[in-house]
Amino acid sequence: MELFLTAVDELAPGLVTGFYLVGSVALGDFHPRGAGRGRLSTASDIDFVAVTDSRVERESREMAALAEAHARTVARFPRPHFDGAVLTWTDLAAGPDGCPDVPCAQESRFTPAGRSGLNPVMFCELAGHGITVRGPQPVEVDLWADQNALRAFTVDNLRTYWRPWWQQKQQRSALSLAIGLSPWFPVWAVLGVSRLHHLLATGTMTSKCGAGRYAQNEFDPRWQRIIAESLSLRTDGTEGRRTYRNPLARRRDTLAFLDTTIDAALALPAES
């Protein structure tokens, strides 16, 4: 963060007037080390929201400054990923659907115009949990945080992302098996879907590990083993316990958990 902000201030003084952390850092669940490498890593990212007073034009000196500052940052710190979006204060009030394409970075790749992070989850994380590095506190900002939209987005995510993802990962193709046997697979699936169930059941947001603890307390005992495995993989062994010797068995239980929990989440009442 210091490197990025120092570079931006050097290249375009006064451009970034707000800077906030969201994601796992803001939720108290940051794990810089994880099993696996690259896209199959269980490590956390650093997720940010940078704010400017006015729109940054695509071919402007300010856009070049943002791109250069981000490039310097990821060159010095290739991991964890440094991901986020550059919004205006007006964008924060308008919400994700009111935002045009904005400068953003995903998996440390910067683009001058994209939509990475422009969803109700990021806005509501910022409103409820955002860590202020520069600028006013989130509670002092006119900030969109529509809980009904967050809930609708979560239901849609279960139906249009997670259910097709589960169906695809059931295939026994070489790629599906490689993903299914990786340590990343149960962390992403078990803890990811548990987070969505938690939000729909309680109306509140939680981290991946928070979702794992919630699942341990709320879900059927038959799922305790795969939940504990996922927590252990997420935390590098500080939580949960690894008991699977056979990654095929772990994949099987992950897929079964996913199938049951998606259905259970979608069956929850419309209002918690």
Side-chain angles (χ1 to χ4, degrees):
M1 293 184 299
E2 290 175 357
L3 176 56
F4 177 76
L5 290 172
T6 298
V8 168
D9 292 345
E10 171 198 328
L11 297 165
L15 175 62
V16 173
T17 53
F19 192 87
Y20 303 90
L21 290 173
V22 291
S24 58
V25 176
L27 293 168
D29 191 26
F30 180 72
H31 301 277
R33 296 178 59 192
R37 295 181 179 179
R39 292 179 62 87
L40 299 185
S41 173
T42 61
S44 302
D45 299 328
I46 296 174
D47 299 298
F48 68 85
V49 177
V51 190
T52 60
D53 292 342
S54 58
R55 184 77 56 211
V56 179
E57 298 300 325
R58 183 163 188 150
E59 301 299 330
S60 65
R61 178 180 66 88
E62 290 79 10
M63 184 68 77
L66 289 171
E68 174 62 20
H70 189 268
R72 290 184 191 179
T73 305
V74 300
R76 173 67 180 83
F77 301 107
R79 290 289 189 275
H81 288 310
F82 188 60
D83 297 345
V86 183
L87 309 179
T88 67
W89 297 106
T90 301
D91 291 337
L92 294 184
D97 291 342
C99 289
D101 289 357
V102 299
C104 58
Q106 184 173 19
E107 293 189 343
S108 290
R109 291 191 292 269
F110 181 86
T111 180
R115 303 200 64 78
S116 178
L118 293 184
N119 58 60
V121 175
M122 185 272 281
F123 277 79
C124 291
E125 278 185 354
L126 176 58
H129 304 277
I131 296 174
T132 303
V133 179
R134 175 180 293 183
Q137 296 294 321
V139 294
E140 300 169 336
V141 177
D142 184 8
L143 179 57
W144 183 98
D146 188 326
Q147 296 300 308
N148 290 328
L150 175 63
R151 187 179 186 89
F153 178 83
T154 301
V155 169
D156 184 68
N157 189 236
L158 286 164
R159 289 175 173 160
T160 63
Y161 174 79
W162 281 108
R163 179 54 75 188
W165 192 87
W166 170 80
Q167 292 170 339
Q168 183 187 59
K169 296 304 178 287
Q170 285 197 105
Q171 300 172 8
R172 298 188 69 86
S173 66
L175 178 59
S176 290
L177 282 172
I179 293 173
L181 299 181
S182 73
W184 167 86
F185 186 68
V187 175
W188 179 251
V190 173
L191 302 184
V193 170
S194 294
R195 286 182 78 181
L196 304 188
H197 190 289
H198 176 277
L199 191 148
L200 294 174
T202 70
T204 61
M205 307 183 85
T206 190
S207 66
K208 285 187 176 70
C209 283
R213 298 179 202 115
Y214 163 80
Q216 285 179 319
N217 290 328
E218 298 294 330
F219 294 174
D220 192 280
R222 65 180 161 149
W223 304 121
Q224 293 301 309
R225 186 184 180 198
I226 193 61
I227 296 167
E229 181 90 359
S230 303
L231 278 170
S232 182
L233 288 166
R234 170 70 175 169
T235 64
D236 202 21
T238 60
E239 281 195 61
R241 184 182 175 208
R242 295 189 62 181
T243 60
Y244 285 87
R245 295 184 178 181
N246 184 345
L248 282 170
R250 187 175 67 194
R251 172 182 179 270
R252 177 202 64 213
D253 288 354
T254 297
L255 289 170
F257 175 91
L258 203 59
D259 185 26
T260 299
T261 307
I262 291 170
D263 284 348
L266 290 174
L268 289 167
E271 296 295 334
S272 59

PDB file of all heavy atoms in Angstrom, residues 204-231:
ATOM      1  N   THR A 204     -25.679 -11.170   7.592  1.00  0.00           N
ATOM      2  CA  THR A 204     -24.404 -10.520   7.838  1.00  0.00           C
ATOM      3  C   THR A 204     -23.299 -11.181   7.024  1.00  0.00           C
ATOM      4  O   THR A 204     -23.410 -12.344   6.630  1.00  0.00           O
ATOM      5  CB  THR A 204     -24.015 -10.571   9.325  1.00  0.00           C
ATOM      6  OG1 THR A 204     -23.891 -11.946   9.735  1.00  0.00           O
ATOM      7  CG2 THR A 204     -25.084  -9.895  10.191  1.00  0.00           C
ATOM      8  N   MET A 205     -22.224 -10.426   6.811  1.00  0.00           N
ATOM      9  CA  MET A 205     -21.087 -10.924   6.039  1.00  0.00           C
ATOM     10  C   MET A 205     -20.068 -11.559   6.982  1.00  0.00           C
ATOM     11  O   MET A 205     -19.955 -11.167   8.141  1.00  0.00           O
ATOM     12  CB  MET A 205     -20.436  -9.785   5.260  1.00  0.00           C
ATOM     13  CG  MET A 205     -21.403  -8.994   4.407  1.00  0.00           C
ATOM     14  SD  MET A 205     -20.604  -7.698   3.430  1.00  0.00           S
ATOM     15  CE  MET A 205     -20.113  -8.675   2.003  1.00  0.00           C
ATOM     16  N   THR A 206     -19.327 -12.510   6.457  1.00  0.00           N
ATOM     17  CA  THR A 206     -18.260 -13.124   7.230  1.00  0.00           C
ATOM     18  C   THR A 206     -17.127 -13.506   6.286  1.00  0.00           C
ATOM     19  O   THR A 206     -17.273 -13.466   5.061  1.00  0.00           O
ATOM     20  CB  THR A 206     -18.752 -14.351   8.012  1.00  0.00           C
ATOM     21  OG1 THR A 206     -17.742 -14.771   8.937  1.00  0.00           O
ATOM     22  CG2 THR A 206     -19.092 -15.515   7.086  1.00  0.00           C
ATOM     23  N   SER A 207     -16.001 -13.891   6.867  1.00  0.00           N
ATOM     24  CA  SER A 207     -14.838 -14.313   6.090  1.00  0.00           C
ATOM     25  C   SER A 207     -14.945 -15.794   5.739  1.00  0.00           C
ATOM     26  O   SER A 207     -15.864 -16.491   6.182  1.00  0.00           O
ATOM     27  CB  SER A 207     -13.575 -14.081   6.913  1.00  0.00           C
ATOM     28  OG  SER A 207     -13.577 -14.936   8.049  1.00  0.00           O
ATOM     29  N   LYS A 208     -13.975 -16.286   4.979  1.00  0.00           N
ATOM     30  CA  LYS A 208     -13.952 -17.714   4.676  1.00  0.00           C
ATOM     31  C   LYS A 208     -13.825 -18.546   5.962  1.00  0.00           C
ATOM     32  O   LYS A 208     -14.542 -19.527   6.159  1.00  0.00           O
ATOM     33  CB  LYS A 208     -12.804 -18.048   3.721  1.00  0.00           C
ATOM     34  CG  LYS A 208     -13.037 -17.644   2.270  1.00  0.00           C
ATOM     35  CD  LYS A 208     -11.922 -18.171   1.392  1.00  0.00           C
ATOM     36  CE  LYS A 208     -12.170 -17.865  -0.082  1.00  0.00           C
ATOM     37  NZ  LYS A 208     -12.042 -16.424  -0.381  1.00  0.00           N
ATOM     38  N   CYS A 209     -12.893 -18.160   6.837  1.00  0.00           N
ATOM     39  CA  CYS A 209     -12.741 -18.911   8.086  1.00  0.00           C
ATOM     40  C   CYS A 209     -13.969 -18.739   8.977  1.00  0.00           C
ATOM     41  O   CYS A 209     -14.391 -19.696   9.642  1.00  0.00           O
ATOM     42  CB  CYS A 209     -11.477 -18.475   8.825  1.00  0.00           C
ATOM     43  SG  CYS A 209      -9.966 -19.148   8.111  1.00  0.00           S
ATOM     44  N   GLY A 210     -14.520 -17.546   9.008  1.00  0.00           N
ATOM     45  CA  GLY A 210     -15.755 -17.347   9.764  1.00  0.00           C
ATOM     46  C   GLY A 210     -16.868 -18.236   9.253  1.00  0.00           C
ATOM     47  O   GLY A 210     -17.652 -18.787  10.036  1.00  0.00           O
ATOM     48  N   ALA A 211     -16.928 -18.403   7.939  1.00  0.00           N
ATOM     49  CA  ALA A 211     -17.931 -19.285   7.350  1.00  0.00           C
ATOM     50  C   ALA A 211     -17.674 -20.735   7.728  1.00  0.00           C
ATOM     51  O   ALA A 211     -18.614 -21.506   7.965  1.00  0.00           O
ATOM     52  CB  ALA A 211     -17.928 -19.134   5.831  1.00  0.00           C
ATOM     53  N   GLY A 212     -16.395 -21.128   7.800  1.00  0.00           N
ATOM     54  CA  GLY A 212     -16.068 -22.489   8.215  1.00  0.00           C
ATOM     55  C   GLY A 212     -16.510 -22.758   9.643  1.00  0.00           C
ATOM     56  O   GLY A 212     -17.067 -23.829   9.942  1.00  0.00           O
ATOM     57  N   ARG A 213     -16.275 -21.807  10.535  1.00  0.00           N
ATOM     58  CA  ARG A 213     -16.702 -21.981  11.930  1.00  0.00           C
ATOM     59  C   ARG A 213     -18.227 -22.034  12.022  1.00  0.00           C
ATOM     60  O   ARG A 213     -18.795 -22.821  12.786  1.00  0.00           O
ATOM     61  CB  ARG A 213     -16.164 -20.835  12.776  1.00  0.00           C
ATOM     62  CG  ARG A 213     -14.650 -20.770  12.816  1.00  0.00           C
ATOM     63  CD  ARG A 213     -14.156 -19.597  13.663  1.00  0.00           C
ATOM     64  NE  ARG A 213     -12.801 -19.243  13.267  1.00  0.00           N
ATOM     65  CZ  ARG A 213     -12.447 -18.087  12.707  1.00  0.00           C
ATOM     66  NH1 ARG A 213     -13.371 -17.153  12.498  1.00  0.00           N
ATOM     67  NH2 ARG A 213     -11.195 -17.859  12.367  1.00  0.00           N
ATOM     68  N   TYR A 214     -18.873 -21.184  11.251  1.00  0.00           N
ATOM     69  CA  TYR A 214     -20.340 -21.202  11.188  1.00  0.00           C
ATOM     70  C   TYR A 214     -20.833 -22.569  10.714  1.00  0.00           C
ATOM     71  O   TYR A 214     -21.752 -23.152  11.300  1.00  0.00           O
ATOM     72  CB  TYR A 214     -20.805 -20.097  10.243  1.00  0.00           C
ATOM     73  CG  TYR A 214     -22.226 -20.220   9.746  1.00  0.00           C
ATOM     74  CD1 TYR A 214     -23.297 -19.825  10.531  1.00  0.00           C
ATOM     75  CD2 TYR A 214     -22.491 -20.721   8.462  1.00  0.00           C
ATOM     76  CE1 TYR A 214     -24.606 -19.933  10.062  1.00  0.00           C
ATOM     77  CE2 TYR A 214     -23.787 -20.827   7.993  1.00  0.00           C
ATOM     78  CZ  TYR A 214     -24.838 -20.430   8.796  1.00  0.00           C
ATOM     79  OH  TYR A 214     -26.130 -20.539   8.336  1.00  0.00           O
ATOM     80  N   ALA A 215     -20.211 -23.094   9.663  1.00  0.00           N
ATOM     81  CA  ALA A 215     -20.631 -24.393   9.130  1.00  0.00           C
ATOM     82  C   ALA A 215     -20.410 -25.512  10.144  1.00  0.00           C
ATOM     83  O   ALA A 215     -21.226 -26.435  10.257  1.00  0.00           O
ATOM     84  CB  ALA A 215     -19.863 -24.692   7.841  1.00  0.00           C
ATOM     85  N   GLN A 216     -19.334 -25.435  10.906  1.00  0.00           N
ATOM     86  CA  GLN A 216     -19.082 -26.448  11.933  1.00  0.00           C
ATOM     87  C   GLN A 216     -20.194 -26.468  12.971  1.00  0.00           C
ATOM     88  O   GLN A 216     -20.568 -27.529  13.475  1.00  0.00           O
ATOM     89  CB  GLN A 216     -17.738 -26.182  12.609  1.00  0.00           C
ATOM     90  CG  GLN A 216     -16.529 -26.552  11.778  1.00  0.00           C
ATOM     91  CD  GLN A 216     -15.225 -26.257  12.476  1.00  0.00           C
ATOM     92  OE1 GLN A 216     -15.068 -25.216  13.120  1.00  0.00           O
ATOM     93  NE2 GLN A 216     -14.262 -27.156  12.366  1.00  0.00           N
ATOM     94  N   ASN A 217     -20.727 -25.305  13.284  1.00  0.00           N
ATOM     95  CA  ASN A 217     -21.764 -25.200  14.312  1.00  0.00           C
ATOM     96  C   ASN A 217     -23.163 -25.486  13.793  1.00  0.00           C
ATOM     97  O   ASN A 217     -24.019 -25.960  14.551  1.00  0.00           O
ATOM     98  CB  ASN A 217     -21.740 -23.798  14.930  1.00  0.00           C
ATOM     99  CG  ASN A 217     -20.521 -23.551  15.776  1.00  0.00           C
ATOM    100  OD1 ASN A 217     -19.989 -24.465  16.399  1.00  0.00           O
ATOM    101  ND2 ASN A 217     -20.050 -22.309  15.794  1.00  0.00           N
ATOM    102  N   GLU A 218     -23.402 -25.197  12.511  1.00  0.00           N
ATOM    103  CA  GLU A 218     -24.771 -25.218  11.994  1.00  0.00           C
ATOM    104  C   GLU A 218     -25.094 -26.411  11.098  1.00  0.00           C
ATOM    105  O   GLU A 218     -26.260 -26.780  10.978  1.00  0.00           O
ATOM    106  CB  GLU A 218     -25.046 -23.923  11.206  1.00  0.00           C
ATOM    107  CG  GLU A 218     -24.942 -22.649  12.026  1.00  0.00           C
ATOM    108  CD  GLU A 218     -26.020 -22.539  13.094  1.00  0.00           C
ATOM    109  OE1 GLU A 218     -27.122 -23.080  12.877  1.00  0.00           O
ATOM    110  OE2 GLU A 218     -25.755 -21.917  14.143  1.00  0.00           O
ATOM    111  N   PHE A 219     -24.095 -27.017  10.475  1.00  0.00           N
ATOM    112  CA  PHE A 219     -24.369 -28.035   9.475  1.00  0.00           C
ATOM    113  C   PHE A 219     -24.313 -29.439  10.063  1.00  0.00           C
ATOM    114  O   PHE A 219     -23.797 -29.664  11.149  1.00  0.00           O
ATOM    115  CB  PHE A 219     -23.391 -27.920   8.308  1.00  0.00           C
ATOM    116  CG  PHE A 219     -23.537 -26.656   7.499  1.00  0.00           C
ATOM    117  CD1 PHE A 219     -22.630 -26.362   6.492  1.00  0.00           C
ATOM    118  CD2 PHE A 219     -24.558 -25.747   7.732  1.00  0.00           C
ATOM    119  CE1 PHE A 219     -22.747 -25.203   5.739  1.00  0.00           C
ATOM    120  CE2 PHE A 219     -24.690 -24.584   7.002  1.00  0.00           C
ATOM    121  CZ  PHE A 219     -23.777 -24.311   6.000  1.00  0.00           C
ATOM    122  N   ASP A 220     -24.847 -30.371   9.308  1.00  0.00           N
ATOM    123  CA  ASP A 220     -24.921 -31.769   9.721  1.00  0.00           C
ATOM    124  C   ASP A 220     -23.532 -32.310  10.083  1.00  0.00           C
ATOM    125  O   ASP A 220     -22.535 -31.979   9.425  1.00  0.00           O
ATOM    126  CB  ASP A 220     -25.511 -32.590   8.566  1.00  0.00           C
ATOM    127  CG  ASP A 220     -25.896 -33.982   8.996  1.00  0.00           C
ATOM    128  OD1 ASP A 220     -24.985 -34.832   9.077  1.00  0.00           O
ATOM    129  OD2 ASP A 220     -27.091 -34.224   9.233  1.00  0.00           O
ATOM    130  N   PRO A 221     -23.443 -33.158  11.125  1.00  0.00           N
ATOM    131  CA  PRO A 221     -22.141 -33.717  11.528  1.00  0.00           C
ATOM    132  C   PRO A 221     -21.394 -34.435  10.413  1.00  0.00           C
ATOM    133  O   PRO A 221     -20.164 -34.543  10.453  1.00  0.00           O
ATOM    134  CB  PRO A 221     -22.514 -34.677  12.658  1.00  0.00           C
ATOM    135  CG  PRO A 221     -23.774 -34.125  13.240  1.00  0.00           C
ATOM    136  CD  PRO A 221     -24.519 -33.540  12.073  1.00  0.00           C
ATOM    137  N   ARG A 222     -22.100 -34.940   9.412  1.00  0.00           N
ATOM    138  CA  ARG A 222     -21.400 -35.670   8.343  1.00  0.00           C
ATOM    139  C   ARG A 222     -20.445 -34.782   7.556  1.00  0.00           C
ATOM    140  O   ARG A 222     -19.553 -35.285   6.873  1.00  0.00           O
ATOM    141  CB  ARG A 222     -22.417 -36.303   7.386  1.00  0.00           C
ATOM    142  CG  ARG A 222     -23.256 -35.304   6.619  1.00  0.00           C
ATOM    143  CD  ARG A 222     -24.238 -35.991   5.685  1.00  0.00           C
ATOM    144  NE  ARG A 222     -25.301 -35.104   5.289  1.00  0.00           N
ATOM    145  CZ  ARG A 222     -25.922 -35.173   4.124  1.00  0.00           C
ATOM    146  NH1 ARG A 222     -25.566 -36.102   3.244  1.00  0.00           N
ATOM    147  NH2 ARG A 222     -26.900 -34.347   3.825  1.00  0.00           N
ATOM    148  N   TRP A 223     -20.620 -33.451   7.682  1.00  0.00           N
ATOM    149  CA  TRP A 223     -19.759 -32.544   6.931  1.00  0.00           C
ATOM    150  C   TRP A 223     -18.580 -32.036   7.751  1.00  0.00           C
ATOM    151  O   TRP A 223     -17.759 -31.265   7.239  1.00  0.00           O
ATOM    152  CB  TRP A 223     -20.564 -31.347   6.415  1.00  0.00           C
ATOM    153  CG  TRP A 223     -21.747 -31.719   5.583  1.00  0.00           C
ATOM    154  CD1 TRP A 223     -23.045 -31.402   5.819  1.00  0.00           C
ATOM    155  CD2 TRP A 223     -21.743 -32.480   4.368  1.00  0.00           C
ATOM    156  NE1 TRP A 223     -23.858 -31.907   4.841  1.00  0.00           N
ATOM    157  CE2 TRP A 223     -23.076 -32.575   3.936  1.00  0.00           C
ATOM    158  CE3 TRP A 223     -20.737 -33.091   3.616  1.00  0.00           C
ATOM    159  CZ2 TRP A 223     -23.432 -33.261   2.775  1.00  0.00           C
ATOM    160  CZ3 TRP A 223     -21.091 -33.770   2.457  1.00  0.00           C
ATOM    161  CH2 TRP A 223     -22.420 -33.858   2.044  1.00  0.00           C
ATOM    162  N   GLN A 224     -18.483 -32.454   9.005  1.00  0.00           N
ATOM    163  CA  GLN A 224     -17.432 -31.901   9.863  1.00  0.00           C
ATOM    164  C   GLN A 224     -16.029 -32.178   9.318  1.00  0.00           C
ATOM    165  O   GLN A 224     -15.130 -31.337   9.428  1.00  0.00           O
ATOM    166  CB  GLN A 224     -17.564 -32.469  11.281  1.00  0.00           C
ATOM    167  CG  GLN A 224     -18.820 -32.024  12.024  1.00  0.00           C
ATOM    168  CD  GLN A 224     -18.894 -30.518  12.164  1.00  0.00           C
ATOM    169  OE1 GLN A 224     -17.945 -29.892  12.599  1.00  0.00           O
ATOM    170  NE2 GLN A 224     -20.023 -29.939  11.795  1.00  0.00           N
ATOM    171  N   ARG A 225     -15.832 -33.339   8.742  1.00  0.00           N
ATOM    172  CA  ARG A 225     -14.484 -33.699   8.289  1.00  0.00           C
ATOM    173  C   ARG A 225     -14.012 -32.792   7.156  1.00  0.00           C
ATOM    174  O   ARG A 225     -12.888 -32.280   7.186  1.00  0.00           O
ATOM    175  CB  ARG A 225     -14.467 -35.162   7.844  1.00  0.00           C
ATOM    176  CG  ARG A 225     -13.071 -35.663   7.493  1.00  0.00           C
ATOM    177  CD  ARG A 225     -13.125 -37.090   6.965  1.00  0.00           C
ATOM    178  NE  ARG A 225     -11.800 -37.592   6.622  1.00  0.00           N
ATOM    179  CZ  ARG A 225     -11.576 -38.640   5.840  1.00  0.00           C
ATOM    180  NH1 ARG A 225     -12.602 -39.307   5.310  1.00  0.00           N
ATOM    181  NH2 ARG A 225     -10.340 -39.006   5.566  1.00  0.00           N
ATOM    182  N   ILE A 226     -14.863 -32.573   6.150  1.00  0.00           N
ATOM    183  CA  ILE A 226     -14.447 -31.757   5.016  1.00  0.00           C
ATOM    184  C   ILE A 226     -14.354 -30.283   5.411  1.00  0.00           C
ATOM    185  O   ILE A 226     -13.508 -29.536   4.879  1.00  0.00           O
ATOM    186  CB  ILE A 226     -15.381 -31.968   3.802  1.00  0.00           C
ATOM    187  CG1 ILE A 226     -14.754 -31.360   2.543  1.00  0.00           C
ATOM    188  CG2 ILE A 226     -16.774 -31.409   4.057  1.00  0.00           C
ATOM    189  CD1 ILE A 226     -13.435 -31.950   2.137  1.00  0.00           C
ATOM    190  N   ILE A 227     -15.175 -29.846   6.346  1.00  0.00           N
ATOM    191  CA  ILE A 227     -15.071 -28.470   6.831  1.00  0.00           C
ATOM    192  C   ILE A 227     -13.748 -28.270   7.563  1.00  0.00           C
ATOM    193  O   ILE A 227     -13.034 -27.279   7.334  1.00  0.00           O
ATOM    194  CB  ILE A 227     -16.258 -28.112   7.746  1.00  0.00           C
ATOM    195  CG1 ILE A 227     -17.574 -28.156   6.967  1.00  0.00           C
ATOM    196  CG2 ILE A 227     -16.055 -26.735   8.382  1.00  0.00           C
ATOM    197  CD1 ILE A 227     -18.809 -28.135   7.853  1.00  0.00           C
ATOM    198  N   ALA A 228     -13.398 -29.211   8.444  1.00  0.00           N
ATOM    199  CA  ALA A 228     -12.137 -29.109   9.188  1.00  0.00           C
ATOM    200  C   ALA A 228     -10.946 -29.141   8.234  1.00  0.00           C
ATOM    201  O   ALA A 228      -9.964 -28.408   8.412  1.00  0.00           O
ATOM    202  CB  ALA A 228     -12.033 -30.239  10.202  1.00  0.00           C
ATOM    203  N   GLU A 229     -11.018 -29.978   7.217  1.00  0.00           N
ATOM    204  CA  GLU A 229      -9.946 -30.041   6.220  1.00  0.00           C
ATOM    205  C   GLU A 229      -9.785 -28.699   5.515  1.00  0.00           C
ATOM    206  O   GLU A 229      -8.663 -28.204   5.318  1.00  0.00           O
ATOM    207  CB  GLU A 229     -10.274 -31.132   5.192  1.00  0.00           C
ATOM    208  CG  GLU A 229      -9.239 -31.319   4.117  1.00  0.00           C
ATOM    209  CD  GLU A 229      -8.164 -32.339   4.467  1.00  0.00           C
ATOM    210  OE1 GLU A 229      -8.216 -32.908   5.587  1.00  0.00           O
ATOM    211  OE2 GLU A 229      -7.274 -32.561   3.633  1.00  0.00           O
ATOM    212  N   SER A 230     -10.903 -28.099   5.138  1.00  0.00           N
ATOM    213  CA  SER A 230     -10.867 -26.825   4.426  1.00  0.00           C
ATOM    214  C   SER A 230     -10.297 -25.715   5.297  1.00  0.00           C
ATOM    215  O   SER A 230      -9.492 -24.889   4.832  1.00  0.00           O
ATOM    216  CB  SER A 230     -12.277 -26.463   3.950  1.00  0.00           C
ATOM    217  OG  SER A 230     -12.809 -27.483   3.128  1.00  0.00           O
ATOM    218  N   LEU A 231     -10.699 -25.678   6.547  1.00  0.00           N
ATOM    219  CA  LEU A 231     -10.155 -24.675   7.472  1.00  0.00           C
ATOM    220  C   LEU A 231      -8.658 -24.855   7.664  1.00  0.00           C
ATOM    221  O   LEU A 231      -7.898 -23.875   7.706  1.00  0.00           O
ATOM    222  CB  LEU A 231     -10.869 -24.764   8.822  1.00  0.00           C
ATOM    223  CG  LEU A 231     -12.217 -24.062   8.935  1.00  0.00           C
ATOM    224  CD1 LEU A 231     -12.908 -24.451  10.236  1.00  0.00           C
ATOM    225  CD2 LEU A 231     -12.054 -22.554   8.847  1.00  0.00           C
TER     226      LEU A 231
END
